[in-house]
Amino acid sequence: MSDRPNNIKIVDAPDGYGGSGFFATSFEKVIALARSNSLWPLPFATSCCGIEFMATMGATYDLARFGSERPSFSPRQSDMLLVMGTIAKKMAPIVRQTYIQMAEPRWVIAVGACASSGGIFDTYSVLQGIDRIVPVDVYVPGCPPRPEQILDGVMQLQEIVKNEPLRRRDSDEYKALLESYGIIK
């Protein structure tokens, strides 16, 4: 029986073989475990969803406990793009360029109704979802979503990262996905 309280979750070890004084697993599983627990967010916040993300970074919700305590405002030092709020069509090239400048592997979370689908702004000037310009891995619903929902979105992304094959980004399928967005790798 463990001495730790029930509400503390320790990261489970990857599948492998263990014995007295040793544990062996595949290199791919170790990399996936490390990546999934050290996502560096780049917040691209334009509206009220950004305020909810700020609360998520605070002490009450503490995004740092998921390994994302280092928000970066440089795309070259981030691997998780969080797009939050209304994205005008004039801003679309900036979001796209930010995504392209991020190092591989990179993931995207669309936070809130506006980033996911344009929200209540069904107008000529508002982009009706960022998935029209960059591939999205996780959608967080809400207008604005609560910090708990943002945390849930990050945990969903962690599962995606943990289960992603190491060489997926080199696959023809992934290259075709980027080319469908006009992003050449």
Side-chain angles (χ1 to χ4, degrees):
M1 191 72 185
S2 173
D3 291 338
R4 70 179 193 265
N6 292 337
N7 62 349
I8 296 176
K9 181 175 181 340
I10 302 297
V11 175
D12 296 326
D15 295 333
Y17 303 99
S20 179
F22 80 93
F23 181 78
T25 188
S26 72
F27 187 61
E28 184 171 305
K29 290 179 183 175
V30 171
I31 296 284
L33 184 67
R35 281 181 178 168
S36 67
N37 290 289
S38 64
L39 295 169
W40 288 2
L42 187 149
F44 195 99
T46 60
S47 301
C48 44
C49 293
I51 303 299
E52 295 298 321
F53 177 72
M54 289 177 209
T56 304
M57 292 299 294
T60 304
Y61 298 101
D62 193 21
L63 188 62
R65 63 189 156 141
F66 298 102
S68 297
E69 67 269 0
R70 186 196 174 278
S72 179
F73 298 96
S74 168
R76 298 187 197 288
Q77 299 172 354
S78 302
D79 54 9
M80 175 175 61
L81 177 64
L82 291 111
V83 180
M84 300 165 274
T86 309
I87 303 298
K89 288 184 180 175
K90 286 187 176 185
M91 294 169 63
I94 306 304
V95 174
R96 182 185 171 95
Q97 182 174 358
T98 301
Y99 175 80
I100 290 170
Q101 288 178 350
M102 292 172 66
E104 284 282 1
R106 56 190 171 212
W107 298 276
V108 178
I109 299 179
V111 178
C114 292
S116 298
S117 65
I120 60 170
F121 305 106
D122 190 11
T123 65
Y124 70 93
S125 62
V126 174
L127 187 65
Q128 299 300 301
I130 64 163
D131 56 356
R132 296 180 182 219
I133 56 169
V134 294
V136 175
D137 298 290
V138 175
Y139 295 90
V140 177
C143 184
R146 297 272 310 139
E148 296 91 349
Q149 290 173 276
I150 297 172
L151 289 177
D152 186 54
V154 170
M155 290 189 306
Q156 287 179 22
L157 184 62
Q158 283 182 317
E159 285 302 313
I160 290 170
V161 173
K162 195 181 299 181
N163 297 316
E164 182 178 85
L166 192 58
R167 299 285 178 217
R168 175 185 171 257
R169 304 289 169 149
D170 296 327
S171 70
D172 292 335
E173 179 183 306
Y174 183 71
K175 290 175 184 175
L177 173 69
L178 290 182
E179 286 178 15
S180 72
Y181 281 96
I183 300 169
I184 307 300
K185 183 175 179 190

